[in-house]
Amino acid sequence: MAAPDEPSLFEQGGTKGIQLAGWKVTTTKLPILNTIESDTAASSLHLPLPEICFGNNCVTIHNPQSGLKLEWDTMSALRVIETETSVKVAHAAEWARGYVLFNLLLNPITVLPPLNSSFSHSTQTSSFFLL
């Protein structure tokens, strides 16, 4: 066991942390939300989520002696976003360009030749009115 002033590292599943001088700092890194989790979160937040959302990640700083605990997690952070705001990650514009290019590869645009307007066409019509 480490001495009280020596840092002590620990890891369990997706959670890693360090204990030092009575403080415990942990980070939880889990995979991106699956479809069901993402749909549930988007519905409860009333907010469209990015395609890739690490919704189960968090950072915690805890001092058991004083009881002070600070925690930052994805869903709590998303709850304070205005619902009219579109959430965009730092590389959203690049992803959008990539998506457009990828979509063009899958569905190429067909360019039609211009219409030949060098000819003319006329008709003669007559009208009959019955009273």
Side-chain angles (χ1 to χ4, degrees), residues 32-44 49 56 75:
I32 62 172
L33 297 179
N34 63 36
T35 304
I36 294 169
E37 292 171 323
S38 183
D39 290 346
T40 301
S43 177
S44 70
L49 294 181
N56 297 314
M75 291 301 129

Side-chain angles (χ1 to χ4, degrees), residues 68-86:
L68 177 66
K69 183 176 182 180
L70 303 172
E71 184 171 81
W72 295 271
D73 66 273
T74 307
M75 291 301 129
S76 295
L78 290 172
R79 279 188 196 96
V80 298
I81 294 176
E82 295 177 19
T83 56
E84 288 81 34
T85 302
S86 178

Side-chain angles (χ1 to χ4, degrees), residues 37-121:
E37 292 171 323
S38 183
D39 290 346
T40 301
S43 177
S44 70
L45 295 168
H46 306 289
L47 185 71
L49 294 181
E51 218 172 280
I52 297 175
C53 180
F54 294 90
N56 297 314
N57 292 358
C58 71
V59 175
T60 305
I61 301 173
H62 184 216
N63 185 304
Q65 185 178 6
S66 69
L68 177 66
K69 183 176 182 180
L70 303 172
E71 184 171 81
W72 295 271
D73 66 273
T74 307
M75 291 301 129
S76 295
L78 290 172
R79 279 188 196 96
V80 298
I81 294 176
E82 295 177 19
T83 56
E84 288 81 34
T85 302
S86 178
V87 178
K88 292 191 178 183
V89 295
H91 296 287
E94 292 173 32
W95 288 345
R97 280 193 301 273
Y99 178 77
V100 168
L101 293 175
F102 180 73
N103 206 12
L104 285 174
L105 289 173
L106 294 178
N107 304 306
I109 297 172
T110 304
V111 178
L112 299 174
L115 294 175
N116 183 355
S117 60
S118 62
F119 65 89
S120 63
H121 177 74

Side-chain angles (χ1 to χ4, degrees), residues 2 5-12 15-27 59-64:
D5 290 337
E6 289 184 36
S8 167
L9 300 175
F10 61 91
E11 183 173 348
Q12 182 179 8
T15 301
K16 295 180 180 182
I18 185 170
Q19 287 183 311
L20 177 63
W23 289 91
K24 184 177 180 181
V25 179
T26 60
T27 61
V59 175
T60 305
I61 301 173
H62 184 216
N63 185 304

